[in-house]
Amino acid sequence: MPTVIHKTKWFLYLALITFGSTYLYMAIFVGLGEKQSHRIRQEYLRSVLRQNIGWHDHEGARTSPSASL
């Protein structure tokens, strides 16, 4: 009987270690993903705001062949 209790404790410890390491892995992965997506959004906004909006008043007013479909 002591071997069953010993093996049960072993599996319980293994499950706790697995849970802890998986939680840590996911927390790090999600945090880095959010940080990277925030950085990409900032760069995109900077890029959009740097564009010359006046260009669209003259060049963007032309009709393209695909617009007439």
Side-chain angles (χ1 to χ4, degrees):
M1 195 64 152
T3 60
V4 173
I5 294 173
H6 178 71
K7 288 184 181 182
T8 304
K9 286 181 182 180
W10 175 255
F11 278 111
L12 180 64
Y13 296 146
L14 183 63
L16 290 174
I17 290 170
T18 302
F19 175 76
S21 62
T22 302
Y23 180 80
L24 183 64
Y25 162 75
M26 289 303 295
I28 291 171
F29 186 72
V30 168
L32 289 176
E34 287 177 358
K35 187 175 179 180
Q36 185 175 10
S37 66
H38 181 71
R39 190 178 312 135
I40 290 170
R41 286 183 187 138
Q42 280 184 328
E43 288 297 320
Y44 177 74
L45 183 61
R46 272 194 209 111
S47 172
V48 167
L49 293 176
R50 261 193 308 247
Q51 293 179 4
N52 184 7
I53 196 67
W55 181 85
H56 295 284
D57 292 337
H58 302 288
E59 298 296 324
R62 296 181 187 169
T63 58
S64 64
S66 63
S68 63
L69 293 177

